[in-house]
mmCIF file of all heavy atoms in Angstrom:
data_model
loop_
_atom_site.group_PDB
_atom_site.id
_atom_site.type_symbol
_atom_site.label_atom_id
_atom_site.label_comp_id
_atom_site.label_asym_id
_atom_site.label_seq_id
_atom_site.Cartn_x
_atom_site.Cartn_y
_atom_site.Cartn_z
ATOM 1 N N THR A 6 81.973 67.099 20.871
ATOM 2 C CA THR A 6 82.056 68.515 21.226
ATOM 3 C C THR A 6 80.812 69.224 20.728
ATOM 4 O O THR A 6 80.356 68.992 19.602
ATOM 5 C CB THR A 6 83.298 69.162 20.603
ATOM 6 O OG1 THR A 6 83.226 69.002 19.198
ATOM 7 C CG2 THR A 6 84.570 68.542 21.122
ATOM 8 N N VAL A 8 79.259 73.039 20.193
ATOM 9 C CA VAL A 8 79.651 74.440 20.085
ATOM 10 C C VAL A 8 78.591 75.309 20.729
ATOM 11 O O VAL A 8 77.397 75.064 20.574
ATOM 12 C CB VAL A 8 79.824 74.820 18.595
ATOM 13 C CG1 VAL A 8 80.160 76.276 18.441
ATOM 14 C CG2 VAL A 8 80.884 73.963 17.967
ATOM 15 N N MET A 39 73.047 77.595 7.855
ATOM 16 C CA MET A 39 72.884 76.743 9.034
ATOM 17 C C MET A 39 74.219 76.320 9.636
ATOM 18 O O MET A 39 74.272 75.913 10.790
ATOM 19 C CB MET A 39 72.079 75.499 8.674
ATOM 20 C CG MET A 39 70.626 75.780 8.457
ATOM 21 S SD MET A 39 69.661 74.291 8.228
ATOM 22 C CE MET A 39 69.971 73.934 6.515
ATOM 23 N N GLY A 40 75.293 76.393 8.859
ATOM 24 C CA GLY A 40 76.608 76.014 9.366
ATOM 25 C C GLY A 40 76.963 74.569 9.117
ATOM 26 O O GLY A 40 77.900 74.044 9.718
ATOM 27 N N LYS A 41 76.250 73.898 8.223
ATOM 28 C CA LYS A 41 76.517 72.483 7.958
ATOM 29 C C LYS A 41 77.817 72.265 7.198
ATOM 30 O O LYS A 41 78.279 71.148 7.094
ATOM 31 C CB LYS A 41 75.357 71.867 7.178
ATOM 32 C CG LYS A 41 74.133 71.652 8.021
ATOM 33 C CD LYS A 41 73.118 70.836 7.282
ATOM 34 C CE LYS A 41 71.998 70.429 8.210
ATOM 35 N NZ LYS A 41 71.083 69.494 7.566
ATOM 36 N N HIS A 42 78.404 73.318 6.675
ATOM 37 C CA HIS A 42 79.674 73.193 5.977
ATOM 38 C C HIS A 42 80.857 73.201 6.940
ATOM 39 O O HIS A 42 81.979 72.917 6.550
ATOM 40 C CB HIS A 42 79.823 74.343 4.975
ATOM 41 C CG HIS A 42 79.925 75.688 5.615
ATOM 42 N ND1 HIS A 42 78.863 76.266 6.290
ATOM 43 C CD2 HIS A 42 80.962 76.557 5.709
ATOM 44 C CE1 HIS A 42 79.251 77.439 6.756
ATOM 45 N NE2 HIS A 42 80.516 77.641 6.424
ATOM 46 N N ARG A 43 80.619 73.487 8.207
ATOM 47 C CA ARG A 43 81.679 73.547 9.211
ATOM 48 C C ARG A 43 81.846 72.184 9.887
ATOM 49 O O ARG A 43 80.883 71.451 10.074
ATOM 50 C CB ARG A 43 81.333 74.589 10.281
ATOM 51 C CG ARG A 43 81.338 75.996 9.762
ATOM 52 C CD ARG A 43 81.036 76.950 10.875
ATOM 53 N NE ARG A 43 81.124 78.321 10.396
ATOM 54 C CZ ARG A 43 81.585 79.310 11.121
ATOM 55 N NH1 ARG A 43 81.977 79.106 12.347
ATOM 56 N NH2 ARG A 43 81.630 80.514 10.627
ATOM 57 N N PRO A 44 83.048 71.869 10.312
ATOM 58 C CA PRO A 44 83.248 70.580 10.986
ATOM 59 C C PRO A 44 82.644 70.530 12.389
ATOM 60 O O PRO A 44 82.392 69.452 12.911
ATOM 61 C CB PRO A 44 84.775 70.432 11.040
ATOM 62 C CG PRO A 44 85.310 71.796 10.868
ATOM 63 C CD PRO A 44 84.307 72.566 10.072
ATOM 64 N N ASN A 45 82.407 71.678 13.009
ATOM 65 C CA ASN A 45 81.850 71.705 14.366
ATOM 66 C C ASN A 45 80.370 72.090 14.349
ATOM 67 O O ASN A 45 79.901 72.819 15.214
ATOM 68 C CB ASN A 45 82.646 72.663 15.250
ATOM 69 C CG ASN A 45 82.720 74.059 14.683
ATOM 70 O OD1 ASN A 45 82.193 74.340 13.603
ATOM 71 N ND2 ASN A 45 83.358 74.956 15.404
ATOM 72 N N TYR A 46 79.615 71.566 13.381
ATOM 73 C CA TYR A 46 78.186 71.877 13.243
ATOM 74 C C TYR A 46 77.426 71.338 14.444
ATOM 75 O O TYR A 46 77.589 70.184 14.845
ATOM 76 C CB TYR A 46 77.649 71.258 11.953
ATOM 77 C CG TYR A 46 76.149 71.229 11.861
ATOM 78 C CD1 TYR A 46 75.430 72.397 11.716
ATOM 79 C CD2 TYR A 46 75.448 70.034 11.920
ATOM 80 C CE1 TYR A 46 74.055 72.383 11.617
ATOM 81 C CE2 TYR A 46 74.077 70.003 11.826
ATOM 82 C CZ TYR A 46 73.389 71.175 11.682
ATOM 83 O OH TYR A 46 72.023 71.151 11.592
ATOM 84 N N THR A 47 76.597 72.164 15.025
ATOM 85 C CA THR A 47 75.697 71.773 16.104
ATOM 86 C C THR A 47 74.292 72.186 15.692
ATOM 87 O O THR A 47 74.056 73.350 15.392
ATOM 88 C CB THR A 47 76.096 72.467 17.427
ATOM 89 O OG1 THR A 47 77.477 72.197 17.678
ATOM 90 C CG2 THR A 47 75.261 71.964 18.579
ATOM 91 N N PRO A 48 73.336 71.237 15.658
ATOM 92 C CA PRO A 48 72.021 71.543 15.092
ATOM 93 C C PRO A 48 71.203 72.580 15.848
ATOM 94 O O PRO A 48 70.373 73.248 15.258
ATOM 95 C CB PRO A 48 71.287 70.202 15.112
ATOM 96 C CG PRO A 48 72.270 69.181 15.483
ATOM 97 C CD PRO A 48 73.475 69.849 16.014
ATOM 98 N N VAL A 50 72.311 75.320 17.397
ATOM 99 C CA VAL A 50 73.010 76.585 17.549
ATOM 100 C C VAL A 50 73.055 77.272 16.195
ATOM 101 O O VAL A 50 73.291 76.635 15.172
ATOM 102 C CB VAL A 50 74.456 76.357 18.069
ATOM 103 C CG1 VAL A 50 75.244 77.652 18.078
ATOM 104 C CG2 VAL A 50 74.430 75.755 19.444
#
Side-chain angles (χ1 to χ4, degrees):
T6 58
V8 177
M39 287 187 279
K41 287 190 171 187
H42 66 292
R43 293 182 176 216
N45 56 359
Y46 166 69
T47 306
V50 173

